[in-house]
Amino acid sequence: MMAQLLPRTFAGVAGGLLMVIGAGLLFQPHNFSAANGIILGDNPSLISEIRAPGAVLMVSAIFMILGVGRERFLRPALALIMAIYGSYGLARLLSIMLDGPPSPSLVQAMILELIIASFALIFWLRSGPISLR
């Protein structure tokens, strides 16, 4: 049980952070985006495109948090953490290469996302043998 305390705590923190981000995108897209220097304006289609991923992030966060209390969910939660944080971090890195650097807060977000994805990978690899069943 103690061996899984750190990965469980990690999954809870990663899920909690994602819940805050998802809620910000879903319920306060203008304010959340403005914090990074992005002005959304009044385009309902653009706002819809911002809110939708917020809901996906919140649902994913719930699953990550389930990994804290239910052992059978921990390994899949770690895989989900790798997938979400890793894809966001790598997409931001690609964007830097293709489009140039964004605001410093988004560069910091990218670094944090890649660090979280890396820790999730380490915990996932330590959690047991890889099975394709």
Side-chain angles (χ1 to χ4, degrees), residues 17-53:
L17 177 60
L18 204 62
M19 181 64 75
V20 169
I21 293 167
L25 290 170
L26 183 60
F27 298 114
Q28 294 290 323
H30 289 90
N31 294 338
F32 193 84
S33 297
N36 294 308
I38 301 167
I39 306 304
L40 296 180
D42 294 327
N43 184 332
S45 297
L46 177 59
I47 303 304
S48 176
E49 284 297 303
I50 299 298
R51 288 185 196 271

Side-chain angles (χ1 to χ4, degrees), residues 85-121:
Y85 281 96
S87 63
Y88 266 83
L90 291 173
R92 291 185 202 279
L93 185 60
L94 177 64
S95 181
I96 288 172
M97 292 187 294
L98 296 176
D99 308 317
S103 69
S105 62
L106 291 176
V107 173
Q108 292 171 347
M110 176 195 69
I111 292 167
L112 181 62
E113 290 157 351
L114 293 173
I115 290 170
I116 290 172
S118 298
F119 274 105
L121 174 62

